[in-house]
Amino acid sequence: MKDVIEELQRRRDNARLGGGQARIDAQHSKGKLTARERIELLMDENSFEEFDTFVEHRCNEFGMEKNKTPGDGVVTGWGTINGRVVYVFAKDFTVLGGSLSESHARKMTKIQDMALKNRAPIIGLFDAGGARIQEGVDALGGYGEVFTRNVMASGVIPQISVIMGPCAGGDVYSPAMTDFIFMVKDTSYMFVTGPDVVKTVTNETVTAEELGGAKVHTSKSSVADGAFENDLEALLQMRRLMDFLPSNNKSGVPELPTSDSPDREDRSLDTMIPDNPNKPYDMKELILKVVDEADFMEIQENFAKNILTGFARMEGRTVGIVANQPMVLAGVLDSDASRKAARFVRFCDCFEIPLITFVDVPGFLPGTAQEYGGLIKHGAKLLFAFTEATVAKITVITRKAYGGAYDVMSSKHIRGDLNYAWPTAEIAVMGAKGAAEIIYRADIGDPAKIAARIEEYKARFANPFVAAERGYIDEVILPHGTRRRICRGLNMLRNKTLENPWKKHDNIPL
Amino acid sequence: MFKKILIANRGEIACRVIKTARKMGIKTVAVYSDADREALHVEMADEAVHIGPAPAAQSYLIIEKIIEACKQTGAEAVHPGYGFLSEREAFPVALAKAGIVFIGPNPHAIAAMGDKIESKKAAAAANVSTVPGYMGEISDEKHAVKIAEEIGYPVMMKASAGGGGKGMRIAFNREEVEEGFPLAKSEAKASFGDDRMFIEKFIIDPRHIEIQLIGDKHGNVVYLGERECSIQRRNQKVLEEAPSPLLDEKTRKAMGEQSVALAKAVGYDSAGTVEFVAGQDRSFFFLEMNTRLQVEHPVTEMITGVDLVELMIRVAAGEKLPFKQSDIKLNGWAVESRVYAEDPFRNFLPSIGRLVKYRPPVEGVREGASVRNDTGVFEGGEISMYYDPMIAKLVTHASTREKAIAAQADALDAFYIDGIQHNIPFLQAVMQHPRWISGKISTGFIKEEYPDGFKARAAEGEERRVLASVAAVIDHQQNIRRRKITHQMSGTAVSFAKTRVVKIGDDRLKMEVAGDGHSFAVTMIGPDDALGETISIVSSWAPGDPIWHGKVNNRDVSIMVRSRLNGLTLSYRGITAPVHVFTMREAQLAALMPIKAAADMSKFLLCPMPGLVKAINVDEGAEVKAGDPLAVVEAMKMENILKAEIDGIVKKVNAKPGDSLAVDAVIIEFA
């Protein structure tokens, strides 16, 4: 018996070395951790249980039969994050560059299947160059199997991808179908085809960082939802993220004990809106002062900064926040902002995370660049997403809610549950100046007359009361009581039951 | 007594006066400009009158508007505060004409003390010790040399109408007089339109000590001890204390009696201050008299127990002083810090904007020390560009200087401000400075001790241990809490190792944390894994609280807590330190993380917000000085002037007017 136990230990030790000490050192010298080190940081201490430690590939082409390593380039298993079950796979760059073989794919799909069946989140740590060329079509088939499971699990369990090395091909498509992608700055890249292929095909010279670095994907392409300085920072933030996320679409949101009182008032909010309607203010201040403990985890922080999206808690329970940011482009809705927020809203709706929407929106961004870019359909995505969402929806209008953008931002008309307005709110078709100039076109030539017309329009419509008189706003509230109102509202809506008509699926304008 | 008074001022001093008036049962009227519509003094007063646009010259400085406001509200008297109209002779004259009482000295006294040369003559006539010097007009440099040699070097040549260092030169010998005199004279002409000069003895290592007086309309004048205000930055007082660590009883009496003599000579009948320059040998010389309530008056109030504003109101109403000189006893020590909206790390540039968070320390008496905070702002208020950027005057009082300083340091630790930059790190650094603590100070203190400007300090020794152990406890509390999240797998509860490595700056300290609730023990672990000292920590801090209050080894500690990615930013004793608390394994792996050189952004002018370039003020190759305007960026219909933070040479200009820039776009590169 002792011998076999020793043999197990020997095999385990061997497997844990992955591609060997030299490759581990090489990985470290690039500032990257190994797959097992990453899992250690991600999971609770001693909670990770590895599966398929001894799996090897079965390829006999190109001398591959002599190049076998237990585990075959991916570490899979499960463990806990603050006691909650999470499945994980981590590509092992030290073994054949983490490339995907048929066996490697099987390990992944086994874990994906378990995660879906047992309704727990799955996190993928990517550091891999794509298919193992030697295996040819078997590798492609393997990817297909992984993709299928990504799609089947979508909307049932949270799927998170962390890009921690150079990734291409299938190793970027699978993440693309998960809920969130995070990257590590300077050590991770994502592209469908790398710089060499780009050079060959288009004669364009570009570095990996310029083509698919963290900066590109978090600020330009919006492929990634966030980026971190290094592996450690990224993995600890994934622990933070998981504390916000439900385990599955039926579990409900997790609750973290807090001593932050739901009745906490913040008088400084009563002076947050500047006197001048064209002066910006920082919507993040409102978010930080309203949510529990000023803890707000922003998603897509560096993309379409005119809208803010992210997770926070009210009375310990997760909420999704969507807010126009007047600091950037006056908080206008453009194609990027609409797409960003629409995807976030749909994630929250999938997983029964209540939505809190703070509105200060002057409208949709005009211009050829926007129209040619398909603003109509991108804007419609957000309208569609808010409308179809059946989770609890609470909206607070702080200042402008103009035109169609008013409807879009989780208004009462698209099934908002509680719609509040601050006394500073202006719910109108457009700003007073624009409106007066259209209604009283004849007076435009006379500055005194038009000024009087603008004042007249302002007095009539630049306030929350016209909307409140019609019941489009449930209540005009004092800014300092915003937290209390939202907390009470969320408790009141705890048993909200709303179902959309049966359909195979809807046809959101993609 | 008056039924209603108007305060012709704003900010903390207006609030200060309103407090006393309210205590006396007098109704108050505030005045405000456009920029002060929502200011605290407006909120506190019984009534408020709008007096014009934001610039003081169009509102707070217009006598007619103040008088009109009095008439409109029926205010019988006006308190001018300090600054603005407080020392304008014309103001009490105009008020008197309108039948309104001025809560301050009579106009003759203001006039007599207003001119530097005239006030010196009056002082000399009243046998007040004056700096040896020549009071007459000086015709040319030859005349100047003759006078300088009579007085003896070093000498100071100064414009009669001067102030703020303009038209001022120090000369240590004949050549320097010949050279400096004409320059100072022409500067005086250019700055004040008045080139009259005087010359006086220059005192080496001088200290600024002033006597507080109060007089009534019945010829009584009493002095209320002294204040020392030697800690100054560019002639601006930063810290004040009372009494002065320099003076002995004999000198105090001499200064006080001379001041009273001067006040009596000019018929002084309100609160006023006689300023002296003092040598380290306790020699003292009259500088000037300020015919108003001073900013730093609270330190005098703390050690004498009098309310100067109340006395001013009473004597203005014709009452006699309620005490004689022999009744005045100095009790304990008081220290005042002026908390300013300025960035000590960027050459004290003013920092304006919204006070996103403003949580001053709790006022009142605790363990023998009292804390008083005179302020005119509130959380959510605005520090505007139009007025003095002072946020608050933080005063502490205790039985000894040492204890008052310790209380001041504790109070500064508990002062939380966010949204703008402030000088608390600097004030706290001075509070910890051995030379300040020793009391061997002079007006050159800041220039001598911080010759290259103020730099952040790293945490060391005891401070580092306090910060690290508190960080470890915060992390421990968070760990306990996170493991109480719902939806956990059933079975064995998750445990976590108690050994932690605290990374503070570049240092790593190993420790073990135990405890739960409010009481914790942190045991230091040495490099050889030997257990070291155990620190006991008691605190009721909860996540989200901006300030950690508690006891570290039974000593009261306040630390500002801000969260950062996976860690905390802690501020304590003027030190701001990023702190990360790791498990052993995390610490091992953290050591493998690449050290990324922070991009040197000092060589770039970055666009602070997305906006449109309106103007570029410099060309490639141009030499710029800190504070020079470099570019104008318009964002949200507002023009923002971007200024040089350091001296440098423009290497490359990357933007032109009309360009639309993203945040952090590089506008200018420096060589």
Side-chain angles (χ1 to χ4, degrees):
Chain A
M1 182 78 190
K2 198 175 163 221
D3 288 356
V4 285
I5 288 173
E6 273 171 8
E7 170 65 7
L8 170 64
Q9 197 53 48
R10 194 195 57 75
R11 277 180 174 253
R12 277 185 175 171
D13 291 346
N14 182 42
R16 279 178 192 151
L17 269 180
Q21 194 57 48
R23 292 229 171 93
I24 290 174
D25 292 344
Q27 181 84 348
H28 286 165
S29 73
K30 288 181 207 143
K32 300 197 295 181
L33 299 177
T34 66
R36 285 184 179 79
E37 287 165 345
R38 286 167 174 167
I39 290 173
E40 263 185 281
L41 290 178
L42 180 67
M43 297 286 186
D44 292 336
E45 284 165 27
N46 303 318
S47 78
F48 177 60
E49 185 171 328
E50 185 171 343
F51 290 158
D52 296 342
T53 316
F54 306 117
V55 163
E56 291 180 352
H57 70 76
R58 288 182 283 180
C59 175
N60 294 324
E61 310 281 347
F62 309 104
M64 283 301 285
E65 64 277 10
K66 292 185 205 110
N67 192 356
K68 290 190 178 188
T69 310
D72 204 29
V74 62
V75 181
T76 63
W78 71 281
T80 61
I81 292 180
N82 290 326
R84 296 168 65 218
V85 175
V86 174
Y87 293 84
V88 66
F89 60 85
K91 302 281 182 155
D92 187 349
F93 195 77
T94 67
V95 178
L96 297 162
S99 61
L100 182 135
S101 69
E102 186 192 8
S103 319
H104 175 128
R106 281 224 180 106
K107 284 183 70 173
M108 289 173 70
T109 55
K110 183 198 252 185
I111 281 296
Q112 287 182 298
D113 288 340
M114 289 184 80
L116 179 58
K117 188 166 67 190
N118 302 318
R119 296 293 194 263
I122 182 165
I123 300 177
L125 309 179
F126 288 85
D127 186 358
R132 197 172 298 161
I133 315 283
Q134 294 91 335
E135 294 217 357
V137 74
D138 281 342
L140 295 182
Y143 270 123
E145 298 285 338
V146 170
F147 299 156
T148 301
R149 282 158 182 84
N150 284 138
V151 174
M152 289 303 107
S154 182
V156 184
I157 52 169
Q159 303 181 78
I160 314 293
S161 305
V162 192
I163 312 299
M164 311 185 82
C167 294
D171 284 302
V172 299
Y173 272 121
S174 171
M177 287 189 293
T178 62
D179 296 303
F180 296 109
I181 298 177
F182 296 93
M183 294 181 76
V184 179
K185 288 178 197 168
D186 306 323
T187 45
S188 78
Y189 312 106
M190 296 177 80
F191 22 67
V192 175
T193 48
D196 295 345
V197 181
V198 170
K199 176 78 183 160
T200 314
V201 176
T202 68
N203 207 26
E204 188 186 357
T205 307
V206 65
T207 65
E209 180 67 35
E210 287 163 356
L211 185 62
K215 191 165 182 200
V216 169
H217 285 314
T218 52
S219 62
K220 273 206 174 93
S221 74
S222 84
V223 164
D225 296 285
F228 302 102
E229 283 303 325
N230 55 49
D231 284 13
L232 175 70
E233 189 179 290
L235 294 162
L236 294 180
Q237 283 296 303
M238 289 307 104
R239 289 180 61 87
R240 178 181 174 215
L241 175 66
M242 293 313 292
D243 281 352
F244 282 105
L245 301 186
S247 300
N248 59 62
N249 60 343
K250 293 214 169 131
S251 68
V253 295
E255 192 171 332
L256 193 68
T258 179
S259 55
D260 199 350
S261 165
D263 296 327
R264 176 169 54 79
E265 289 187 346
D266 200 318
R267 296 273 156 187
S268 68
L269 295 179
D270 295 344
T271 55
M272 197 177 80
I273 306 298
D275 291 337
N276 177 350
N278 294 321
K279 204 176 158 201
Y281 61 91
D282 190 356
M283 189 64 98
K284 262 188 208 172
E285 182 187 335
L286 170 60
I287 296 171
L288 294 176
K289 284 181 172 176
V290 163
V291 303
D292 286 0
E293 301 166 17
D295 188 9
F296 175 53
M297 185 164 190
E298 203 174 338
I299 298 294
Q300 298 228 343
E301 186 178 359
N302 289 317
F303 181 76
K305 291 179 175 184
N306 37 335
I307 203 157
L308 300 164
T309 55
F311 298 108
R313 294 184 186 86
M314 299 298 274
E315 288 192 87
R317 298 171 62 84
T318 307
V319 292
I321 307 264
V322 178
N324 307 112
Q325 171 56 292
M327 294 277 276
V328 181
L329 295 168
V332 76
L333 283 179
D334 57 7
S335 298
D336 287 348
S338 304
R339 276 197 299 128
K340 166 179 165 179
R343 183 162 169 79
F344 182 77
V345 167
R346 279 168 64 87
F347 176 83
C348 291
D349 188 45
C350 281
F351 293 101
E352 299 291 346
I353 300 170
L355 283 162
I356 313 290
T357 307
F358 295 112
V359 183
D360 183 351
V361 65
F364 280 98
L365 185 62
T368 50
Q370 286 294 313
E371 296 292 356
Y372 294 177
L375 176 64
I376 296 169
K377 279 219 167 167
H378 293 304
K381 285 173 187 170
L382 183 56
L383 175 57
F384 199 110
F386 266 127
T387 309
E388 70 171 341
T390 56
V391 285
K393 293 186 282 190
I394 300 182
T395 307
V396 179
I397 301 172
T398 59
R399 188 165 66 175
K400 295 168 196 166
Y402 289 168
Y406 152 69
D407 275 326
V408 170
M409 292 304 292
S410 198
S411 68
K412 200 82 187 167
H413 319 285
I414 59 169
R415 308 197 293 176
D417 291 304
L418 285 171
N419 287 61
Y420 293 125
W422 285 8
T424 42
E426 301 173 18
I427 301 150
V429 168
M430 58 176 75
K433 187 167 177 289
E437 284 173 0
I438 292 169
I439 302 172
Y440 303 106
R441 197 173 291 254
D443 295 338
I444 288 186
D446 185 339
K449 245 185 189 166
I450 198 73
R453 296 298 196 190
I454 291 169
E455 280 311 309
E456 189 186 317
Y457 188 91
K458 221 185 249 174
R460 179 71 188 96
F461 293 109
N463 60 59
F465 300 108
V466 178
E469 282 159 16
R470 284 159 176 73
Y472 301 161
I473 293 298
D474 295 306
E475 180 70 301
V476 180
I477 64 167
L478 291 170
H480 66 254
T482 303
R483 173 175 165 83
R484 189 175 58 83
R485 295 275 188 170
I486 294 174
C487 286
R488 272 174 60 82
L490 288 168
N491 288 327
M492 183 267 278
L493 294 167
R494 191 75 77 85
N495 296 318
K496 176 181 176 184
T497 311
L498 175 64
E499 272 176 32
N500 293 335
W502 187 91
K503 51 182 97 174
K504 190 167 172 194
H505 59 71
D506 58 39
N507 189 18
I508 189 166
L510 287 175
Chain B
M1 184 44 60
F2 310 116
K3 295 214 164 34
K4 190 190 273 186
I5 62 170
L6 181 143
I7 298 96
N9 214 305
R10 61 175 303 284
E12 67 88 13
I13 193 62
C15 299
R16 159 78 191 85
V17 174
I18 292 169
K19 271 186 200 162
T20 288
R22 196 187 276 166
K23 185 181 79 185
M24 295 170 71
I26 300 170
K27 294 254 180 270
T28 52
V29 181
V31 290
Y32 64 95
S33 71
D34 286 346
D36 279 337
R37 271 175 207 287
E38 293 180 359
L40 189 61
H41 72 282
V42 176
E43 175 79 24
M44 281 175 68
D46 297 304
E47 287 171 76
V49 180
H50 177 244
I51 51 163
Q58 296 169 45
S59 50
Y60 295 105
L61 285 171
I62 298 184
I63 292 174
E64 295 74 36
K65 289 193 174 173
I66 304 294
I67 291 176
E68 184 49 42
C70 288
K71 287 185 175 158
Q72 201 182 311
T73 55
E76 302 149 82
V78 172
H79 195 298
Y82 51 71
F84 293 145
L85 295 169
S86 62
E87 290 181 284
R88 297 232 182 140
E89 185 193 349
F91 188 40
V93 171
L95 286 173
K97 252 187 216 153
I100 301 160
V101 178
F102 179 66
I103 303 172
N106 63 72
H108 306 293
I110 296 179
M113 291 294 114
D115 181 279
K116 288 202 170 170
I117 291 180
E118 290 305 316
S119 71
K120 274 199 188 168
K121 284 181 181 162
N127 284 324
V128 177
S129 165
T130 53
V131 182
Y134 183 76
M135 299 293 166
E137 279 178 44
I138 301 162
S139 49
D140 56 11
E141 50 262 47
K142 266 190 200 150
H143 189 191
V145 167
K146 185 168 163 278
I147 294 162
E149 293 190 340
E150 278 168 22
I151 297 169
Y153 295 106
V155 297
M156 178 154 64
M157 301 172 280
K158 225 171 157 184
S160 301
K166 289 232 168 63
M168 198 164 98
R169 286 285 190 289
I170 292 156
F172 285 84
N173 52 48
R174 182 192 180 102
E175 289 72 38
E176 288 179 5
V177 174
E178 284 171 348
E179 201 180 309
F181 186 80
L183 290 173
K185 198 173 164 76
S186 65
E187 251 179 50
K189 178 89 186 163
S191 302
F192 315 110
D194 177 352
D195 67 354
R196 285 179 303 153
M197 299 289 295
F198 66 91
I199 296 181
E200 63 184 23
K201 176 93 183 160
F202 177 69
I203 292 133
I204 295 169
D205 263 356
R207 301 172 71 131
H208 178 113
I209 297 175
E210 57 192 31
I211 298 288
Q212 175 69 52
L213 296 172
I214 179 82
D216 63 19
K217 292 187 198 295
H218 308 277
N220 302 307
V221 181
V222 169
Y223 67 91
L224 300 167
E226 79 283 3
R227 296 185 285 261
E228 174 151 8
C229 322
S230 295
I231 308 296
Q232 306 182 351
R233 201 180 62 79
R234 294 189 188 147
N235 295 323
Q236 272 288 335
K237 293 165 188 169
V238 177
L239 292 175
E240 296 105 345
E241 61 183 313
S244 157
L246 179 75
L247 296 199
D248 51 24
E249 205 45 58
K250 188 172 135 242
T251 319
R252 176 172 301 123
K253 191 158 184 276
M255 288 173 87
E257 284 172 354
Q258 289 187 16
S259 302
V260 168
L262 172 62
K264 285 187 171 166
V266 297
Y268 203 82
D269 55 356
S270 185
T273 298
V274 181
E275 296 193 338
F276 292 92
V277 59
Q280 298 291 344
D281 58 358
R282 298 199 187 94
S283 59
F284 62 90
F285 309 100
F286 173 80
L287 216 49
E288 61 180 353
M289 178 164 183
N290 292 323
T291 55
R292 56 171 154 85
L293 188 67
Q294 303 259 107
V295 175
E296 60 273 22
H297 74 274
V299 289
T300 297
E301 296 185 326
M302 298 297 269
I303 61 159
T304 57
V306 307
D307 181 333
L308 280 164
V309 172
E310 180 181 342
L311 289 174
M312 286 177 83
I313 295 172
R314 290 195 182 282
V315 297
E319 290 185 20
K320 275 190 184 171
L321 285 181
F323 45 67
K324 299 191 293 293
Q325 188 64 54
S326 56
D327 298 328
I328 301 301
K329 298 275 180 295
L330 304 189
N331 163 36
W333 215 281
V335 174
E336 174 180 283
S337 292
R338 295 193 189 187
V339 180
Y340 271 102
E342 59 187 19
D343 187 346
F345 304 109
R346 290 188 182 186
N347 204 21
F348 296 90
L349 280 176
S351 174
I352 56 168
R354 178 172 161 82
L355 276 172
V356 173
K357 270 220 161 77
Y358 174 75
R359 306 277 166 92
V362 179
E363 292 185 273
V365 185
R366 194 159 176 258
E367 286 172 22
S370 48
V371 175
R372 165 175 168 182
N373 187 49
D374 282 20
T375 189
V377 302
F378 58 95
E379 185 166 291
E382 191 94 9
I383 302 290
S384 105
M385 59 185 281
Y386 296 104
Y387 315 109
D388 183 63
M390 190 162 76
I391 300 171
K393 299 181 320 204
L394 181 64
V395 190
T396 51
H397 177 252
S399 57
T400 64
R401 186 171 190 268
E402 194 190 353
K403 285 181 185 164
I405 290 174
Q408 180 72 215
D410 287 348
L412 286 168
D413 276 342
F415 210 135
Y416 190 107
I417 298 172
D418 239 354
I420 52 155
Q421 300 300 318
H422 54 80
N423 66 341
I424 288 175
F426 176 69
L427 295 169
Q428 186 64 277
V430 176
M431 224 36 72
Q432 309 298 319
H433 199 293
R435 185 173 155 199
W436 155 256
I437 292 168
S438 77
K440 292 187 178 62
I441 50 180
S442 77
T443 53
F445 177 86
I446 290 176
K447 219 159 80 186
E448 289 153 23
E449 301 302 328
Y450 305 95
D452 306 318
F454 176 60
K455 304 239 167 21
R457 255 181 342 129
E460 280 172 13
E462 175 62 17
E463 290 157 346
R464 185 175 58 189
R465 282 185 333 145
V466 167
L467 287 172
S469 55
V470 168
V473 165
I474 289 176
D475 173 73
H476 183 75
Q477 281 178 287
Q478 296 275 33
N479 279 322
I480 292 173
R481 181 167 76 128
R482 285 196 198 101
R483 281 154 179 83
K484 290 180 182 160
I485 197 168
T486 56
H487 297 89
Q488 292 191 43
M489 186 174 76
S490 47
T492 322
V494 188
S495 63
F496 61 102
K498 306 291 187 289
T499 308
R500 284 291 183 275
V501 176
V502 180
K503 183 170 174 281
I504 174 165
D506 294 330
D507 301 312
R508 284 153 184 268
L509 304 172
K510 199 165 148 189
M511 56 192 76
E512 196 169 293
V513 190
D516 199 346
H518 298 322
S519 184
F520 305 87
V522 179
T523 304
M524 296 294 172
I525 301 174
D528 48 357
D529 280 346
L531 293 183
E533 179 208 8
T534 294
I535 299 169
S536 88
I537 293 182
V538 179
S539 172
S540 55
W541 181 87
D545 291 352
I547 301 224
W548 188 94
H549 290 293
K551 285 190 185 287
V552 176
N553 276 345
N554 234 1
R555 208 168 59 76
D556 279 318
V557 168
S558 301
I559 297 173
M560 269 170 247
V561 182
R562 293 176 173 86
S563 60
R564 63 188 290 125
L565 220 52
N566 302 323
L568 301 164
T569 302
L570 301 179
S571 302
Y572 172 62
R573 302 279 119 149
I575 300 161
T576 293
V579 188
H580 294 269
V581 183
F582 291 133
T583 62
M584 293 295 289
R585 188 60 176 144
E586 283 164 4
Q588 275 171 359
L589 296 177
L592 294 172
M593 293 295 98
I595 295 161
K596 296 181 185 177
D600 183 7
M601 282 299 149
S602 64
K603 296 273 184 220
F604 300 97
L605 174 74
L606 303 181
C607 188
M609 73 289 270
L612 185 75
V613 179
K614 296 292 282 186
I616 300 285
N617 303 13
V618 291
D619 294 320
E620 283 172 17
E623 209 172 304
V624 296
K625 293 256 170 280
D628 286 356
L630 300 176
V632 180
V633 174
E634 188 193 84
M636 306 294 145
K637 297 183 180 169
M638 286 188 298
E639 291 198 348
N640 301 276
I641 299 167
L642 310 181
K643 292 179 176 168
E645 276 166 21
I646 46 166
D647 299 353
I649 291 166
V650 177
K651 192 170 94 185
K652 197 159 172 260
V653 177
N654 293 331
K656 57 183 188 306
D659 285 359
S660 189
L661 297 182
V663 66
D664 285 344
V666 176
I667 302 175
I668 292 170
E669 294 173 32
F670 297 100

